Amino acid sequence: MRDERVEAKREADSLDEPAEEARELAKRLGLDPYPVRYWVVGHDEMNELIAYGGFQRRYPHWRWGMNYERQRKKDRHGLGKAFEIVNNDDPSHAFLQESNSIADQKAVITHVEAHADFFANNGWFGLYADRGEGGPNAAARLERNADRIAAIADRPDVDRDEVERLVDAVSALEDTIDQHSPVDAARSVEDPGVAEDVNDPDEDPLAAVEERIAELDLSEEVRRDVFDDEWLDAHGEGVEPEEPRPDVLAFLRDHGKRYDPESGKAVDREPWETTVIDAIREEAYYFAGQKTTKVMNEGWATYWESVMMGGEGFAGPDEFLTYADHMARVLGSPGINPYKLGFELWTHVELRAARRDVIDRLLRVEGVTAENFHARIDLDEVAEALEPHPAIAGAGPATLDELAELAADGDPRVDAEAVDRALSARTDDGGFDPDAGPDIEHYPWKLLTREGLAERHYVLSRPEHRGALRDISRETLTERARYMFDVDRYATVDEALADVDRTAGWDRMLEVRESHNDVTFIDAFLTDEFVREGNYFTYEYSRAAEEHRVASVDADDVRRKLLLQFTNFGKPTVVVLDGNFRNRGELLLGHRFNGVAIDEESAKETLKRVFELWGRPVNLATIRVEYSDEAIRRAKRRGTEPEGEEVGVRFQYDGGEVTEHDLDPEIRERIAADEVDYDTKPDDWLA
């Protein structure tokens, strides 16, 4: 009889060597990942882990079963196999599907190591993870939350249905947090049952926020745009904030009550209710890092996986076709594919940095200017000169002697110690004893340093990018030359190219990885060139034609459409406007209108959940776009789009029915976003 646990353990043991070698290669490439613990699991356990968000235990709730059934059906019908799941923790835990081929397992391991690097070094993950010497400690924190909520539900004085009702309400609002702030920034320390997880009561909350932000070491652009003075001033306000409060859950926890149907009034919550709200809100902050960096994180992991598996032969000759099929399925998924978009954007970041380094050096050659650059520089010769050294490109047993000569000359691209050990392990018949030295037949990268690996994978020497220097416009060259004051000059092109930094692209990628999230990443690096080369376009729904049509190929439009998908997790931005609306103790929430109307039916149902956490009437201010039948008919006749009218509305829920009211002009002005419009409908459709 087959013992599945024994088989899984045997499978996991067989992956020890690939895991160790992948970790060493990742570090040699310049990555600095969290330690990773690997587990091999079956289909059912994998489906369960996916349902639980990557963890083995979560608090009791019906939605985990719903998630499990959905994933089980996708897995059964071949609609979405999960190769692995990895969580953001120190150490990270990676769960690998036991049905994966060995090529799939190797690909997953290299992918996971890159994920672990991103978890450890991205500032947006640090908003949750930077919590003292204990680090994120996510598995333990989520397990503790599961124990707490389960214990509350089991108490004889607590109605289990009331616990589930509360979890339902909080879960419906789990994305209404301030994902730009540290998890502890808006915590209340006076609530019973949560004191051990919160800040020092003597600590100034605003000072704590500022200190956390300073520790992130974010770029000035991100610091200025996201954490401005108004944002900081908005924190710490009372029930009537002067500025909109983005962390709706924290506001509801601190100022909300519970509606008592017997008395028909709002009453103070029980301590256990605040404990449940705080636990689920904390978990929302844990998952916020993943949601705000999905494109960056998956693209980062896919990029380094491709370098290790394809570029460094981590997939053996008999495994490469399987790996190629694996990567094709990952990158070929339909819709907005974060793996493909992220991979292409990271490659673009690398390409721009490498190209800038080369251009800057060529512009410093005597006699070369922005005006005569393309006439004076033979770009074919430049491309040939940028090709990696033959011994570096073909590093391995066949080039060992040549690498030894380079090492003897102190070449920084060669690991002199590894070369010496490899020479000592060479046998009389030309083979190598793997026990006496590095296994360079399977892992030839051990002979090179990061500088050598960077030259081996230099982006401008890849076939698809050899013509990248030809795409540089005179305008770009002029801009680069404008900032070259009192710089050293090169006598010849060869001297300039000899100084090219092959690590420039990778170094820039590491810098970007530290401070950006998906919104800033797309905003900064989705350039005209990227849109043009990738054939990106936007599409809109035509009310006149009653179908979706191609709207624009303009980079600004494409960027705005993508930013809409990722700003605030791709969901409407809702903030607290007033906790004492009309001086009646009512809550007023505002939908930040950005040209895209809210789904009103979903909004009404969510408003009912807010009522359960506020205990008094709740209101939502929003703006809808209305089209008259006459305007639509006229537009169809003319082949144009109808002009809609923006109308402010306020929905109210007091425990009975959701009612609709006119919106005060002053409130409308507060929720209308300035100079933000994600509508890219053109005057004339492209297709």
Side-chain angles (χ1 to χ4, degrees):
M1 180 176 171
R2 181 174 181 266
D3 189 326
E4 294 184 355
R5 290 173 299 178
V6 173
E7 292 294 329
K9 180 66 168 62
R10 185 180 297 118
E11 176 70 15
D13 289 344
S14 71
L15 298 176
D16 284 348
E17 180 186 342
E20 291 173 3
E21 297 297 343
R23 166 57 57 101
E24 182 181 341
L25 176 55
K27 290 185 174 180
R28 189 161 298 212
L29 289 168
L31 306 187
D32 184 22
Y34 280 143
V36 181
R37 295 177 181 172
Y38 289 94
W39 309 79
V40 176
V41 298
H43 283 273
D44 284 343
E45 191 172 357
M46 177 64 79
N47 292 338
E48 184 177 319
L49 286 162
I50 292 172
Y52 277 157
F55 292 89
Q56 294 170 301
R57 289 194 59 204
R58 299 293 297 277
Y59 54 83
H61 192 239
W62 57 265
R63 68 168 169 165
W64 310 128
M66 180 187 69
N67 292 347
Y68 174 82
E69 281 300 311
R70 182 191 299 118
Q71 179 59 35
R72 185 176 67 86
K73 290 176 181 177
K74 288 174 62 178
D75 186 35
R76 173 182 294 179
H77 298 292
L79 300 176
K81 175 184 176 180
F83 291 97
E84 49 79 26
I85 189 168
V86 58
N87 57 41
N88 163 35
D89 208 351
D90 182 11
S92 296
H93 293 265
F95 301 92
L96 282 57
Q97 182 79 263
E98 68 176 352
S99 63
N100 292 344
S101 68
I102 187 61
D104 287 337
Q105 299 292 39
K106 287 183 176 180
V108 165
I109 288 170
T110 56
H111 195 86
V112 163
E113 291 294 334
H115 271 316
D117 169 81
F118 196 89
F119 294 153
N121 296 285
N122 178 262
W124 297 92
F125 277 95
L127 289 172
Y128 180 92
D130 295 340
R131 309 179 74 178
E133 295 182 2
N137 202 20
R141 290 178 185 273
L142 268 64
E143 185 170 341
R144 184 172 63 220
N145 287 342
D147 290 338
R148 281 178 174 169
I149 296 177
I152 289 170
D154 289 339
R155 281 169 46 179
D157 61 326
V158 175
D159 186 339
R160 177 179 287 270
D161 289 341
E162 287 297 303
V163 177
E164 185 139 313
R165 175 197 60 76
L166 180 61
V167 173
D168 286 346
V170 181
S171 299
L173 301 169
E174 63 184 358
D175 285 336
T176 59
I177 58 174
D178 182 4
Q179 72 263 33
H180 300 135
S181 73
V183 59
D184 295 331
R187 278 182 169 272
S188 168
V189 300
E190 299 176 356
D191 294 320
V194 296
E196 64 184 274
D197 290 332
V198 299
N199 293 326
D200 186 328
D202 295 328
E203 182 179 340
D204 179 356
L206 189 57
V209 175
E210 292 175 318
E211 182 179 354
R212 289 280 190 174
I213 294 171
E215 291 173 355
L216 287 177
D217 193 25
L218 301 177
S219 69
E220 180 58 28
E221 176 187 6
V222 173
R223 172 67 175 81
R224 184 178 61 251
D225 291 347
V226 177
F227 302 111
D228 57 16
D229 292 337
E230 290 184 2
W231 182 92
L232 289 168
D233 291 340
H235 285 67
E237 297 286 352
V239 72
E240 298 182 62
E242 294 182 4
E243 296 294 331
R245 287 282 298 276
D247 195 334
V248 177
L249 262 183
F251 193 87
L252 290 169
R253 177 205 56 202
D254 293 340
H255 304 290
K257 293 181 179 292
R258 176 170 56 85
Y259 180 74
D260 180 19
E262 294 185 4
S263 64
K265 298 180 180 179
V267 298
D268 290 338
R269 291 197 196 99
E270 296 293 332
W272 66 263
E273 294 178 281
T274 300
T275 298
V276 171
I277 295 172
D278 238 343
I280 298 177
R281 175 180 170 274
E282 179 190 46
E283 295 190 9
Y285 271 91
Y286 168 81
F287 289 103
Q290 299 180 29
K291 294 177 181 179
T292 56
T293 61
K294 182 70 172 178
V295 170
M296 288 185 69
N297 195 354
E298 294 298 354
W300 182 260
T302 303
Y303 175 90
W304 293 108
E305 174 195 331
S306 71
V307 169
M308 290 189 266
M309 287 293 289
E312 284 306 322
F314 213 71
D318 57 335
E319 300 163 351
F320 190 80
L321 284 179
T322 302
Y323 166 67
D325 177 68
H326 168 107
M327 181 63 85
R329 280 182 285 165
V330 170
L331 296 181
S333 299
I336 297 181
N337 184 338
Y339 299 85
K340 183 176 187 294
L341 177 59
F343 175 78
E344 292 178 348
L345 276 171
W346 278 117
T347 303
H348 188 57
V349 171
E350 177 191 22
L351 177 63
R352 291 180 69 197
R355 186 169 58 188
R356 175 177 294 182
D357 177 66
V358 173
I359 293 298
D360 285 356
R361 298 184 191 283
L362 292 176
L363 286 173
R364 289 160 55 187
V365 174
E366 292 291 348
V368 174
T369 66
E371 289 72 23
N372 66 17
F373 180 89
H374 288 287
R376 293 289 302 272
I377 302 295
D378 187 329
L379 293 177
D380 289 331
E381 291 184 2
V382 170
E384 185 176 346
L386 292 176
E387 288 291 322
H389 187 289
I392 300 296
T399 63
L400 185 58
D401 291 330
E402 194 170 356
L403 290 173
E405 294 178 6
L406 294 175
D409 293 335
D411 195 307
R413 299 170 295 180
V414 180
D415 187 328
E417 181 181 351
V419 168
D420 186 58
R421 291 173 55 223
L423 288 171
S424 300
R426 187 157 58 182
T427 59
D428 294 337
D429 60 358
F432 291 86
D433 180 0
D435 295 327
D439 185 0
I440 62 172
E441 293 182 300
H442 291 97
Y443 307 114
W445 48 265
K446 291 177 179 286
L447 298 171
L448 303 177
T449 62
R450 180 172 184 259
E451 288 77 7
L453 291 170
E455 179 170 325
R456 184 167 156 115
H457 298 284
Y458 189 54
V459 64
L460 290 176
S461 65
R462 298 175 201 162
E464 64 269 29
H465 299 306
R466 284 178 60 94
L469 293 174
R470 299 185 186 279
D471 297 333
I472 295 294
S473 65
R474 177 175 294 186
E475 180 183 2
T476 300
L477 292 169
T478 302
E479 181 182 352
R480 297 304 305 165
R482 185 180 299 133
Y483 298 102
M484 292 185 178
F485 303 109
D486 301 324
V487 294
D488 295 332
R489 293 281 175 177
Y490 296 105
T492 65
V493 170
D494 289 339
E495 286 184 18
L497 295 178
D499 254 3
V500 166
D501 180 8
R502 300 302 208 285
T503 66
W506 286 358
D507 289 344
R508 178 59 176 151
M509 291 171 67
L510 293 176
E511 292 174 3
V512 171
R513 171 261 265 147
E514 291 183 357
S515 62
H516 282 267
N517 60 28
D518 282 346
V519 171
T520 60
F521 186 58
I522 290 171
D523 191 41
F525 301 109
L526 197 133
T527 63
D528 292 356
E529 177 187 10
F530 181 86
V531 171
R532 184 178 63 254
E533 295 293 329
N535 295 317
Y536 283 88
F537 61 88
T538 73
Y539 61 91
E540 300 277 4
Y541 180 75
S542 167
R543 290 183 177 272
E546 297 182 343
E547 64 180 3
H548 285 91
R549 306 183 70 174
V550 176
S552 176
V553 294
D554 182 76
D556 288 338
D557 289 338
V558 173
R559 188 182 305 112
R560 280 190 290 140
K561 275 299 181 187
L562 284 172
L563 290 176
L564 173 63
Q565 298 292 326
F566 298 107
T567 299
N568 197 49
F569 313 131
K571 297 182 178 180
T573 300
V574 176
V575 296
V576 176
L577 296 179
D578 195 347
N580 188 27
F581 182 53
R582 301 190 296 183
N583 288 321
R584 297 178 181 178
E586 297 183 10
L587 177 67
L588 176 62
L589 302 177
H591 165 226
R592 286 276 178 80
F593 181 73
N594 54 16
V596 179
I598 200 168
D599 183 330
E600 293 185 4
E601 291 305 312
S602 296
K604 291 175 183 178
E605 291 302 313
T606 305
L607 207 56
K608 297 175 182 179
R609 299 290 185 265
V610 178
F611 175 79
E612 295 184 29
L613 299 176
W614 187 250
R616 290 149 287 177
V618 293
N619 301 265
L620 173 66
T622 186
I623 295 173
R624 70 158 67 110
V625 181
E626 297 181 347
Y627 299 89
S628 68
D629 292 339
E630 176 58 29
I632 294 176
R633 285 194 297 268
R634 186 166 53 249
K636 285 184 177 181
R637 289 197 302 269
R638 297 174 179 176
T640 60
E641 285 302 296
E643 289 290 334
E645 179 185 3
E646 294 184 356
V647 178
V649 295
R650 173 173 59 86
F651 297 110
Q652 183 186 52
Y653 182 71
D654 59 4
E657 297 292 331
V658 177
T659 56
E660 181 178 322
H661 309 269
D662 293 336
L663 186 62
D664 185 285
E666 182 181 346
I667 298 175
R668 173 178 169 165
E669 188 174 337
R670 293 182 68 188
I671 64 173
D674 295 332
E675 300 178 1
V676 177
D677 188 355
Y678 293 101
D679 190 347
T680 61
K681 290 178 183 175
D683 294 331
D684 296 308
W685 294 94
L686 299 183

